[in-house]
């Protein structure tokens, strides 16, 4: 797998599928969408809207591709984006759980940097 051509497509497809699931139960006051910076390889699942008088401005997932690896900066999904990446064939050494403190990453099965 040529990482720098395949990896952006993989994460975009995974996040798009999640967002489509969320949008199956549409809420006219709430919107989920993907922000994709394809040049710099940043992918953000964003939620905006209003709920019970409160402004919703949430980042559910933020993944960037850096040095040929997925850096998961934010992940509020139940299953975990890392698990989705593994399911589609990404090796654990190509996934960094960047939301964890760097000294704690060595205790995971994933890449440290």
């Amino acid at each position: 797998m040529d990482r720098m051509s395949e990896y952006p497509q993989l994460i975009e497809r995974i996040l798009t599928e999640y967002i489509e699931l969320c949008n199956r139960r549409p809420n006219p006051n709430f919107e989920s969408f993907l922000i994709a910076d394809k040049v710099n390889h940043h992918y953000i699942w964003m939620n905006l809207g209003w709920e019970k008088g409160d402004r919703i401005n949430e980042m559910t997932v933020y993944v960037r591709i850096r040095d040929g690896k997925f850096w998961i900066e934010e992940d509020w999904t139940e299953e975990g984006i890392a698990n989705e990446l593994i399911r589609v064939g990404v090796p654990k050494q190509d996934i960094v759980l960047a939301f964890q403190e760097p000294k704690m990453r060595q205790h995971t099965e994933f890449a440290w940097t």
Side-chain angles (χ1 to χ4, degrees):
M1 176 184 301
D2 176 21
R3 291 187 278 189
M4 288 317 289
S5 64
E6 296 285 331
Y7 279 9
Q9 294 172 7
L10 283 176
I11 194 61
E12 200 166 343
R13 187 183 82 228
I14 289 168
L15 293 179
T16 297
E17 289 172 2
Y18 267 96
I19 291 166
E20 286 173 355
L21 279 172
C22 287
N23 288 332
R24 285 189 184 162
R25 287 191 245 154
N27 178 337
N29 300 317
F30 190 82
E31 183 180 3
S32 296
F33 54 90
L34 176 64
I35 300 170
D37 175 355
K38 296 179 184 187
V39 173
N40 297 302
H41 304 289
H42 295 265
Y43 302 88
I44 299 170
W45 166 4
M46 193 77 194
N47 302 300
L48 289 176
W50 290 90
E51 189 171 49
K52 299 178 184 174
D54 292 326
R55 178 70 171 154
I56 304 298
N57 182 3
E58 303 171 334
M59 181 184 330
T60 301
V61 173
Y62 172 25
V63 177
R64 61 189 177 131
I65 301 170
R66 177 179 154 202
D67 301 326
K69 297 179 183 178
F70 289 100
W71 287 68
I72 302 172
E73 302 287 349
E74 194 79 36
D75 186 357
W76 291 99
T77 64
E78 190 171 324
E79 288 289 319
I81 293 301
N83 290 322
E84 294 293 335
L85 291 169
I86 291 166
R87 269 189 269 252
V88 296
V90 176
K92 290 180 181 179
Q93 66 265 20
D94 283 358
I95 301 169
V96 178
L97 303 179
F99 56 82
Q100 292 188 341
E101 186 177 1
K103 68 180 181 181
M104 298 305 292
R105 293 179 199 155
Q106 64 183 327
H107 303 293
T108 72
E109 300 175 0
F110 298 95
W112 304 358
T113 60

